[in-house]
Amino acid sequence: MIRTRFLLCGASALAMSAATGAMAQIVAAPGKPAAIEEVIVTATKVKTNLQKTPLAVTALSGAALDREHIAAPKDLDNIVPGLVVNTTPSNPLAISIRGAGYEGTENTSAQPGVSYNQNGIYIASPISLNASFLDIDTLEVLRGPQGTVLGQNSDGGAINVTTVRPQLGVYGGYTDMSYGSYDYDRFRIAGNFPLGETAAVRVAFEQEAHDGWENANEVPGTNGKYPESNENSFNGRIDALWKPIAPLTIEVWAEHYANDTNGDGYQNIDDPSTNPRVLSQDWPAKMHQRSDDLALTVSYDLDWATAKYLGSYQQAALTGSEDLDKLDYALALPLLGVHDIDVENDRSGHSYTSEFDLTSKPGTRLDWIVGAFFLEQRYNEGVLEYQYTDGDIPYGLPVNLGPTNPYYGETAGFSGPVAFETRDTQKLTSGSIYGQGVYHVTDQLRFTLGGRGTIDNQIGVIQDFFGLADRNAAPPLVTTKNGVDFFTILKTKFQKATGRAEVEYDVAPTNTVYAMVSNGLKPGGANLNPQAVAIPLVFAPERVDAFELGSKNEFLEKTLRINVSAFYNMIHGYQVDSEDPIPFQGGLTNLKASHVDGVEGEATELLPAGFRLDGNFTVQESRVDSHQHLLDPSQAEQIDLANGGPFNGNDVAQRFAAYYAAASEVYGHQLPKVPPFTGNIALQHVYHFEEGGRLTSSIHLVYRNPYYFRVYNVKETDLVPSQRQIDVNFTYATADGHWHADFVITNLTNNNSVNSRYSDDFGTFITANYYVPPRQFIGRVGYKF
């Protein structure tokens, strides 16, 4: 691995030095194909050529997403340099870029570090990231802090999705049907319909379903067959465009997504089953996801600038129940002392966004944008957790599965041994003003300066009930103290400024180098721990100060493209989950100082005889730079078990001792979700038939090094193994371009690599694996009209 890193870093350095223009004089060899297509991105809120955009940006077209069978944000894992996506059972996706991401998926007040934007609208709820990609034009992943012009502040990066928009005077669209392994089926249809000369509507719908590839074999009444990781989703969007007069454009779009599943099949690392697709679990997990977005964009051409307003209303809900310990009753008791079940895990909320910006017209010496952004977000959470012990046999384990059985997953009227209940509401209001300018000193030299001021206010109303002291007590929906309704109100507020300064220089017409300093923020929030002694009741914002050098190059008459960037990110206040010496009082806390640094590269080469080669890599390392003690939740759980459970005296004293022990020092540890190396390579070939048809074949290889998914760096529980995957795609398109047929094989070798790992930091602190989907064969037939 050291040699591999050395070679990759050397190759990157060579590519960057090549930007001096030496290679720009090389003449393309005879027989070389046409130039690589130009890619237009909107990373800076204006349309620019990817090669002249001084940011680390990966752009994927809708056709590329189809070819690689990237159907949803979770499928971007390991595809984009520096990006890691972790699924979490009954919780939103955890997306990280260059180490900055979303460690607080179980905390409703925590915010993601990677922002998600669709058609310029900031999508506020991380629940919405579970939705599938629908009728996509382009997808951009911006790496590094986005602290100036994009939506809510983000310290890791941003994902910008642009859908296919309505077009005036055009009638057309497409439809396709897919079928494959595990009874996979998908139907899509999209169409553009003009309404007179000044209006048009585009509609797109998708239905997708497949059977699960993991099986919970101990669920009563199912004969050992309860599939998880299944899907049954619907996604629909209507987008209307109206241009009543030449300067004015009005667009309104609405999107609805729904998915009802049995949840993602995670396997406890202590599960005795040797088959990763067989889960020794007896609770039938359920997960219901809903999201609705309504957005308005009004744009007016002022001749000297363009004024734009963007507003939205968004709502999202995730309702689930799951086997928290990922084991059955008989296995969980000797290992954990209890059988831990989440019979209710509900999140719901709504958001309003409002944004106004003014953008200069291109072609002047100074390109500028100024604007203001406002967000109001409100989320509700309800959790009801039961923990069975030997004394809970009277509650009984079910012998059949039906709507009247509590194990059916419907919790109405279910009585059990309450371990924990919470009802909390979080409200966030965020306002900011921003501005950014690009000054063209000469045709080759440009300076960029941007800034943003943000004010965030958050208030949380929290009601908690811990039932372990009186396990047979009925869970009160409102906790009382001295006969009075009792709840905790937490308030947080911060005012911060972020910015970006950059210089870029065109060494040659197709070779650009840039240097950038930027920073970004992720808001703080509140924990559910009013009795904590070490973990704060209110955790602080997280800030990333980033330094980046980059080079974007095209050689050999634009048949070879090489883009590389080197970065050093200092992270202040990194938000991470930790346990408190007092049981049940853990939550998010802040690491004072840490860093991530690395090199990323992307390359495309058009080869003779219809071949094309695409690839990318990331080499990075991370470290905690501050001396700090954190109590590993797994270690705290073992202390409690050894003492017969929490609140026994010795367990609290030993937890205090463990917290202050040398072993709890995290200085020098690697940060979560920072793989030392990730690489992709795809070989594509296009064959043209005499009658005019075209066959496109591609093979795609992905490799990822082992990495730690928690800051505690315990090899037995935290080290995620390496991942390898090979996907193959064949597409035949008719000469007229109307018909196409595709055949896709995902996970060609049918390996069982670990895709994600999950630790329940608030239950029994188990660790579980989620494996890559097994090999699938998928066929698709489509028609463009």
Side-chain angles (χ1 to χ4, degrees), residues 527-672:
N527 290 311
L528 309 180
N529 61 345
Q531 283 81 47
V533 296
I535 303 302
L537 189 60
V538 174
F539 56 92
E542 176 181 296
R543 188 181 89 246
V544 173
D545 294 327
F547 306 87
E548 183 172 327
L549 297 174
S551 176
K552 298 193 172 186
N553 313 278
E554 291 179 329
F555 307 118
L556 303 175
E557 298 183 353
K558 296 188 177 181
T559 61
L560 173 62
R561 178 179 293 165
I562 300 176
N563 296 338
V564 292
S565 59
F567 62 91
Y568 186 93
N569 288 3
M570 296 189 300
I571 308 179
H572 311 277
Y574 185 91
Q575 295 171 5
V576 61
D577 268 319
S578 185
E579 185 56 33
D580 193 81
I582 303 298
F584 311 121
Q585 299 300 305
L588 285 171
T589 188
N590 299 92
L591 295 175
K592 296 176 183 177
S594 52
H595 79 268
V596 179
D597 63 82
V599 177
E600 300 166 344
E602 297 180 283
T604 295
E605 185 172 13
L606 301 184
L607 301 169
F611 285 94
R612 172 182 176 133
L613 192 64
D614 291 276
N616 65 60
F617 74 88
T618 305
V619 177
Q620 57 186 348
E621 66 90 28
S622 64
R623 192 181 68 178
V624 178
D625 296 318
S626 55
H627 290 277
Q628 203 163 338
H629 289 263
L630 296 180
L631 180 57
D632 182 347
S634 296
Q635 181 185 10
E637 171 71 4
Q638 293 304 312
I639 292 173
D640 290 346
L641 285 174
N643 287 278
F647 299 125
N648 286 302
N650 287 335
D651 60 332
V652 177
Q654 291 178 21
R655 287 162 67 107
F656 268 99
Y659 177 79
Y660 291 106
S664 69
E665 169 69 77
V666 295
Y667 172 78
H669 284 201
Q670 296 181 31
L671 289 178

Side-chain angles (χ1 to χ4, degrees), residues 1-12 599 617-619 676-679 703 705:
M1 180 47 60
I2 293 176
R3 182 180 179 185
T4 301
R5 288 190 186 182
F6 177 80
L7 292 174
L8 287 170
C9 290
S12 303
V599 177
F617 74 88
T618 305
V619 177
F677 173 77
T678 304
Y703 175 78
N705 259 152

